[in-house]
Amino acid sequence: ETGVTQTPRHLVMGMTNKKSLKCEQHLGHNAMYWYKQSAKKPLELMFVYNFKEQTENNSVPSRFSPECPNSSHLFLHLHTLQPEDSALYLCASSQDGPAGDGWETQYFGPGTRLLVL
Amino acid sequence: RKEVEQDPGPFNVPEGATVAFNCTYSNSASQSFFWYRQDCRKEPKLLMSVYSSGNEDGRFTAQLNRASQYISLLIRDSKLSDSATYLCVVNRVSGGYQKVTFGTGTKLQVIP
């Protein structure tokens, strides 16, 4: 399935590095999401973009910086991360927006497994 | 109190057994409800939506109890391939946009 793709699939970085995660959706959706999944914790919603505008930022530290240049692409820029930021970062998309009634299905990418040393 | 709570399990059941999972949610403004399935080291995928009247999809039955604020998932005649983590998802629309909350997931292991 290639509806939502993410690159890279695995990433190891030092605390002083700067890297970016990329997500691309081929489903014609207008909403995209970044989630963090840590061991034994629920998926944590980080950022939401609807129609390219950020509509949600769940108190995420500024060392994570999202970018949504268009409705098909979403980036997560990383800098000066901490070891506790090591997790699986999942991107999702849905057909959502002002007309949505909350029943839209989210389609997830395979995730980027990040290790911060 | 967590917005969405699930028993993490694991639930270890023999093939052919019936197993049920519950999930409670705290926000009475929640509007839509889902069960997602996540296989080991894979991304979550929608299993089924949960409607007020209850709904069934083959061996899977989902029910919603708004008064008690819980949803359930029943799996009949368990198969080995049902082994996965089942995520309860609760959604509400605020300002026209979705606010999605996932539970921690319930792990199911079906044993031969």
Side-chain angles (χ1 to χ4, degrees):
Chain A
E1 293 182 27
T2 57
V4 182
T5 57
Q6 290 187 242
T7 54
R9 295 292 307 275
H10 297 87
L11 178 62
V12 180
M13 59 188 290
M15 289 191 283
T16 58
N17 293 154
K18 288 184 181 181
K19 297 286 183 184
S20 294
L21 309 184
K22 179 182 176 183
C23 174
E24 184 173 359
Q25 59 93 2
H26 311 273
L27 301 169
H29 290 165
N30 56 22
M32 296 186 77
Y33 311 77
W34 278 118
Y35 288 88
K36 174 183 178 181
Q37 189 173 34
S38 305
K40 300 190 186 301
K41 286 187 175 182
L43 265 76
E44 300 170 53
L45 182 62
M46 300 175 71
F47 301 105
V48 181
Y49 277 82
N50 287 270
F51 302 102
K52 302 184 296 177
E53 290 187 15
Q54 186 177 314
T55 55
E56 189 91 14
N57 176 343
N58 281 343
S59 303
V60 179
S62 60
R63 56 186 184 269
F64 296 92
S65 173
E67 178 190 0
C68 188
N70 55 62
S71 57
S72 299
H73 293 86
L74 185 65
F75 295 89
L76 188 63
H77 303 300
L78 317 171
H79 65 98
T80 59
L81 293 193
Q82 304 298 310
E84 60 265 28
D85 296 323
S86 299
L88 178 68
Y89 288 85
L90 289 159
C91 173
S93 72
S94 69
Q95 183 60 27
D96 192 31
D101 60 2
W103 287 102
E104 295 79 8
T105 301
Q106 295 204 6
Y107 294 84
F108 285 83
T112 294
R113 197 163 292 279
L114 173 68
L115 177 62
V116 181
L117 301 175
Chain B
R1 182 185 172 187
K2 291 180 186 175
E3 191 161 345
V4 178
E5 293 204 63
Q6 293 181 253
D7 181 343
F11 283 55
N12 297 312
V13 302
E15 266 187 294
T18 295
V19 62
F21 309 136
N22 285 333
C23 167
T24 58
Y25 61 95
S26 61
N27 193 324
S28 59
S30 300
Q31 296 166 272
S32 51
F33 310 88
F34 308 85
W35 285 102
Y36 277 70
R37 169 188 169 136
Q38 187 171 24
D39 292 288
C40 187
R41 305 186 75 79
K42 297 277 191 171
E43 71 274 19
K45 291 184 180 178
L46 179 68
L47 178 66
M48 59 197 302
S49 304
V50 187
Y51 302 118
S52 297
S53 54
N55 47 299
E56 190 173 306
D57 182 3
R59 298 182 292 109
F60 299 84
T61 300
Q63 293 197 311
L64 167 65
N65 185 320
R66 284 190 185 271
S68 301
Q69 295 184 193
Y70 78 83
I71 68 173
S72 64
L73 177 67
L74 182 78
I75 306 175
R76 291 181 297 278
D77 188 22
S78 300
K79 312 289 185 192
L80 294 176
S81 56
D82 294 334
S83 298
T85 297
Y86 291 83
L87 303 168
C88 172
V89 182
V90 173
N91 198 11
R92 56 190 170 93
V93 178
S94 176
Y97 301 107
Q98 295 195 56
K99 288 189 176 288
V100 183
T101 306
F102 280 75
T104 52
T106 298
K107 187 171 182 179
L108 172 66
Q109 186 69 49
V110 181
I111 304 163

